[in-house]
Amino acid sequence: MKATIWHNPACGTSRKTLAILQETPGVELTVVEYLKNPYDAAKLRQLFADAGLAPRDALRLRGTNAAERGLPDADPDAIIAAMAANPAYVERPLVETDKGVRLCRPQDKVREIL
């Protein structure tokens, strides 16, 4: 099974999710450090749609200035544009497999798509 994790090595939950993926037999893993290789708006839309999330549901507030910028009250297109411009606004980690996409908070949510 192919799996892609959008990973932040500084995040404990992201590291724990990555460890689950690495320890699962048969997983062909792609790791994208999204702070170095940012999402584009189309990919964000696809990931959120496949995960059943509104952009607001995946907006990271902690450790960002997203709230000060009014993003929690912004329309979905504005949130996605801000996320594409500043990937730190995307909550982490997102994982995509053939079985779907999950925002893996907590990390055990990844098991739903393995």
Side-chain angles (χ1 to χ4, degrees):
M1 163 185 298
K2 292 184 180 196
T4 301
I5 181 172
W6 282 267
H7 177 60
N8 179 346
C11 173
T13 303
S14 192
R15 289 191 308 269
K16 290 173 188 173
T17 304
L18 177 60
I20 291 168
L21 291 164
Q22 290 170 328
E23 294 165 2
T24 302
V27 171
E28 182 182 323
L29 184 59
T30 300
V31 178
V32 178
E33 289 190 30
Y34 65 90
L35 294 175
K36 293 179 182 176
N37 300 295
Y39 306 91
D40 63 30
K43 186 62 178 180
L44 287 168
R45 282 188 183 85
Q46 177 255 306
L47 289 169
F48 297 156
D50 291 351
L53 295 171
R56 184 172 289 107
D57 298 331
L59 179 62
R60 183 167 180 82
L61 300 175
R62 199 173 91 207
T64 73
N65 68 348
E68 292 85 349
R69 290 191 56 207
L71 290 175
D73 300 320
D75 67 72
D77 288 334
I79 294 171
I80 287 177
M83 290 172 162
N86 184 349
Y89 291 149
V90 182
E91 190 60 88
R92 62 202 179 229
L94 285 164
V95 176
E96 180 177 34
T97 72
D98 296 337
K99 295 183 179 181
V101 176
R102 293 291 181 277
L103 175 57
C104 296
R105 297 190 76 77
Q107 65 270 4
D108 286 330
K109 289 199 61 96
V110 73
R111 297 183 196 285
E112 296 174 6
I113 55 171
L114 292 177

